[in-house]
Amino acid sequence: MTPTDADHALQALDEALALVRRDPRAGESSGGRHRADGWPQAREAAARAGSGIRSRTHRVPLADALGEVLAQSLEALTDLPSFDSSAMDGWAVAGPGPWTIRPGGGGLAGAERPEPLADGEAVRIATGARIPADTTAVIRSEHSRESGTQLHADRAVLTGQDIRPRGQECRSGDLLLPAGSLVTPAVLGLAAAAGYDELTTRPRPRVEVLVLGDELLTEGRPHDGLIRDALSPMLGPWLTRLGAEVVATRRLGDDPAGAEALLAAVTGSEADLVITTGGTASGPVDHVHPVLREAGAELLVDGVAVRPGHPMLLARLGDRTDGRHLVGLPGNPLAAVSGLLTLAEPLLRALAGRRQRPRYTVPVQGEVPGHPYDTRLVPVLLTEEHAVPLRYNGPAMLRGVAAADGLAVVPPHGARDGQELEILDLPWVSGGCFT
């Protein structure tokens, strides 16, 4: 069987199982389980959960503010520029030409205030240097010529040309950026130019990652029914690119001791968000739901109508304002990625005070099979014109998403060739956070 045939066979099996297991018209399935949240509704619930949280703030040096969100508006502490300066290397001139060249050195950036120019006088000047008083214009070096002690212009000279007047960009007290703005490298430059050494920001949400499972190896090749832990190496960097501060990554077993450790982590973690992997279903060693019940957590999302990743969940661990949540990711790697994009990313953006990522669509190349009832998230490569679906998109596979630019949101029953599909950017492709 070729890889393509295998992909179609797996998809057909998934669809057949879905038809047997779930009636989309029923609020309760035959097994008594509730109906999963729709994929858009789950993302909205995650964003809402983080939006009502009492925000923390701190004051940090500029370099430490990168990737955080301004808690206070950024106002100019001085005029920018704070003095009239030259926009070009060339000559500062006064009055009409030709001009007599002043003997001696010219004006350099950072030098003291130069002597005023007399009418008909010219002096060399560098980009960024202070403009002498009574200057009419700056003539670029390439637009002038010297003849002994005389300077001539090769083209018409306009009053004020190539002079940056004081306050051209802003005046002291002007609003430069509102609170809620993401601190990017450009914002750091603007803040420094405006006179800031520190910024008041919202700190990054703190995340603790708990990887559950007895079958996971931390090194070497898979063997004897054991598999490599693919999530620990992936989740920390991924969450960091989403703007989180990962305070710990721990592995817990599936035995009673692991369940006790999970309960202790859920009730005692000081992180804003606890992320678990695996254990969200109803198997004999799936401890997440029992632990959440014992901890008194409130389930906000318990299953999402999305493939892969439908057993994902979102729970509130504390009261409605202290900001502690848990996102339970499925154990299969691509299903865990689906959970990150569906629940963790919108929650983290809201906790950080960032706006949700703008939505956009791209026409898909070729037909994309769909699930009978659920949304599918399919790794795609973005070209100049299309989103190209990638193979190896099963729940346990990372080969497709490792080569992808994003995940396409495929509606139930699939998409036709050329249909516009929403794209979820991967954080390292879209720029993510600057951390």
Side-chain angles (χ1 to χ4, degrees), residues 213-237:
D214 291 330
E215 76 282 10
L216 303 176
L217 296 168
T218 59
E219 59 184 13
R221 301 179 184 181
H223 63 85
D224 300 327
L226 303 177
I227 60 174
R228 278 295 297 270
D229 173 14
L231 294 179
S232 293
M234 178 176 72
L235 290 180

Side-chain angles (χ1 to χ4, degrees), residues 48-120:
R48 283 197 308 271
S51 298
I53 302 304
R54 184 170 50 241
S55 62
R56 296 178 289 118
T57 64
H58 61 178
R59 192 162 183 83
V60 294
L62 290 186
D64 295 337
L66 187 63
E68 298 187 351
V69 168
L70 292 178
Q72 296 179 355
S73 60
L74 191 71
E75 297 180 356
L77 302 179
T78 182
D79 296 347
L80 286 181
S82 57
F83 51 85
D84 294 343
S85 61
S86 176
M88 291 289 170
D89 293 333
W91 299 88
V93 299
W99 302 269
T100 300
I101 298 173
R102 178 190 287 177
L108 300 176
E112 295 182 358
R113 183 185 299 275
E115 292 294 322
L117 283 178
D119 192 41

Side-chain angles (χ1 to χ4, degrees), residues 57-71 181-185 187-189 191-192 196-205 243-245 433-435:
T57 64
H58 61 178
R59 192 162 183 83
V60 294
L62 290 186
D64 295 337
L66 187 63
E68 298 187 351
V69 168
L70 292 178
S181 300
L182 179 67
V183 180
T184 65
V187 172
L188 291 180
Y196 285 85
D197 300 315
E198 298 178 325
L199 293 174
T200 300
T201 59
R202 293 179 63 166
R204 298 174 183 84
E245 177 190 354
C433 238
F434 307 97
T435 53

Side-chain angles (χ1 to χ4, degrees), residues 17 81 115 129 169 183 190 192 206 212 214 305 323 332 346 366 382 398 428:
L17 290 173
E115 292 294 322
E169 186 169 3
V183 180
L190 176 62
R206 299 161 299 185
L212 313 181
D214 291 330
N332 279 324
L382 299 178
L398 287 175
W428 50 89

Side-chain angles (χ1 to χ4, degrees), residues 184-429:
T184 65
V187 172
L188 291 180
L190 176 62
Y196 285 85
D197 300 315
E198 298 178 325
L199 293 174
T200 300
T201 59
R202 293 179 63 166
R204 298 174 183 84
R206 299 161 299 185
V207 179
E208 183 173 3
V209 179
L210 304 175
V211 179
L212 313 181
D214 291 330
E215 76 282 10
L216 303 176
L217 296 168
T218 59
E219 59 184 13
R221 301 179 184 181
H223 63 85
D224 300 327
L226 303 177
I227 60 174
R228 278 295 297 270
D229 173 14
L231 294 179
S232 293
M234 178 176 72
L235 290 180
W238 197 308
L239 291 163
T240 299
R241 291 303 296 266
L242 291 179
E245 177 190 354
V246 180
V247 297
T249 298
R250 294 190 285 148
R251 297 179 180 86
L252 304 179
D254 289 328
D255 56 3
E260 292 178 6
L262 177 59
L263 177 61
V266 167
T267 56
S269 176
E270 295 184 357
D272 302 298
L273 173 61
V274 175
I275 288 187
T276 63
T277 68
T280 56
S282 303
V285 293
D286 291 331
H287 300 307
V288 174
H289 280 92
V291 163
L292 290 176
R293 284 194 295 270
E294 188 170 352
E298 178 186 359
L299 279 172
L300 304 178
V301 175
D302 189 10
V304 180
V306 65
R307 303 300 172 110
H310 61 282
M312 68 180 74
L313 60 85
L314 168 64
R316 180 182 289 120
L317 300 180
D319 62 38
R320 292 179 179 271
T321 59
D322 75 357
R324 296 185 62 244
H325 291 83
L326 180 143
V327 169
L329 303 177
N332 279 324
L334 188 56
V337 169
S338 175
L340 279 176
L341 296 175
T342 301
L343 297 178
E345 180 175 0
L347 176 65
L348 286 170
R349 294 182 75 92
L351 288 174
R354 299 177 62 189
R355 63 185 178 90
Q356 295 302 313
R357 194 180 297 280
R359 298 175 60 180
Y360 72 97
T361 62
V362 175
V364 69
Q365 180 175 292
E367 294 186 0
V368 186
H371 188 273
Y373 315 125
D374 297 348
T375 299
R376 285 188 71 209
L377 301 182
V378 177
V380 293
L381 191 67
L382 299 178
T383 69
E384 292 184 359
E385 297 180 351
H386 295 97
V388 182
L390 298 173
R391 292 162 47 193
Y392 307 106
N393 52 36
M397 299 179 180
L398 287 175
R399 186 172 173 181
V401 73
D405 296 318
L407 272 69
V409 181
V410 181
H413 307 296
R416 65 186 182 277
D417 180 35
Q419 182 173 336
E420 295 276 344
L421 296 181
E422 181 180 351
I423 303 297
L424 303 178
D425 287 327
L426 299 179
W428 50 89
V429 175

